[in-house]
Amino acid sequence: MTLRNDPPAIGVLALQGDFAEHAAMLRAAGARAAEGRLPSDLAAIDALIIPGGESTTITRLLDLYDLREPIRRLGAEGMPIWGTCAGAIILAREATDLDRPHLALMDIAARRNAFGRQVDSFELDLDVTALAGPPFHAIFIRAPRIERAGATVDVLASLPDGSVAAAREGRLLATTFHPELTSDTRFHELFMSMARAYRSAARAASK
Ligand code: GLN
């Protein structure tokens, strides 16, 4: 039997990219983290992280491992999904320069590699509405630019150029930067609270 206060079980899509860093961060924050590559790995999780990496590679592997449709369905049913950087591109309803279908679950538009060569990577302190405490030190690596967020999307943080750096739509979370490369667990804790809320609602509905 699982207890109400069990740590949430959070899957990390482990096809490519920095999934190991996410799993380590989740464990540091007290979650159970499971790296997943197969459709059967999706069965026992309360939420899923799609990590940073290369979105074209990840979408190709989603097809190869028959994961795209099962993940899309879980997201449409309300399971929390968080995409960081490449993961945010894969979650976005509109994404530039992808050569095959992606998840397209969240009402945002992402432009890949939009920050230009000379600032391929940059770091800055972001005010994030959903997080208590000091600004969040955000690391951007060949980040996408979220150029549009729909009416049902809450913008959690923006860049000085006005683009969106973090957003939430219901149980979907997108960040164009990499919290898993810092030692600040606040985003992972926020996502764990989304996972707990989903698990409680799913358990109540199955009673
Ligand atoms: N540039 C990558 C892409 O377009 C994203 C980079 C990242 O995830 N750090 O998929």
Side-chain angles (χ1 to χ4, degrees):
M1 196 180 99
T2 45
L3 301 170
R4 189 176 298 265
N5 291 326
D6 274 3
I10 301 190
V12 184
L13 189 68
L15 299 175
Q16 189 262 340
D18 69 340
F19 51 85
E21 287 81 354
H22 268 297
M25 194 91 176
L26 287 167
R27 289 180 190 121
R32 286 178 289 152
E35 294 176 12
R37 293 176 184 82
L38 300 172
S40 56
D41 294 334
L42 301 171
I45 57 173
D46 302 313
L48 179 71
I49 292 177
I50 305 178
E54 193 55 46
S55 50
T56 47
T57 306
I58 297 174
T59 49
R60 184 162 51 80
L61 295 173
L62 279 175
D63 275 350
L64 196 67
Y65 289 81
D66 287 326
L67 282 163
R68 180 158 46 83
E69 193 46 36
I71 294 175
R72 208 199 54 72
R73 199 176 322 118
L74 284 170
E77 285 167 9
M79 190 185 76
I81 304 181
W82 174 18
T84 56
C85 202
I89 297 168
I90 290 166
L91 269 188
R93 188 151 305 157
E94 297 156 47
T96 58
D97 305 325
L98 285 184
D99 50 6
R100 65 183 70 228
H102 56 300
L103 294 174
L105 282 165
M106 184 168 175
D107 193 12
I108 54 175
R111 177 169 301 282
R112 294 183 60 214
N113 303 326
F115 289 101
R117 269 245 174 99
Q118 64 284 29
V119 284
D120 258 353
S121 301
F122 57 98
E123 303 185 12
L124 58 90
D125 290 331
L126 279 182
D127 288 320
V128 182
T129 57
L131 302 182
F136 194 92
H137 187 70
I139 301 173
F140 296 80
I141 304 169
R142 299 193 74 218
R145 199 164 177 273
I146 297 180
E147 298 184 327
R148 185 188 67 75
T152 55
V153 175
D154 285 328
V155 173
L156 306 183
S158 300
L159 287 172
D161 70 2
S163 66
V164 174
R168 177 174 174 175
E169 183 182 28
R171 294 196 177 113
L172 303 173
L173 183 65
T175 53
T176 59
F177 52 93
H178 291 271
E180 73 284 6
L181 299 183
T182 70
S183 56
D184 189 336
T185 54
R186 285 179 292 164
F187 264 103
H188 289 77
E189 284 160 21
L190 170 67
F191 192 59
M192 284 161 62
S193 73
M194 291 165 64
R196 275 197 206 90
Y198 169 70
R199 184 177 62 185
S200 311
R203 282 186 189 163
S206 67
K207 273 197 184 124

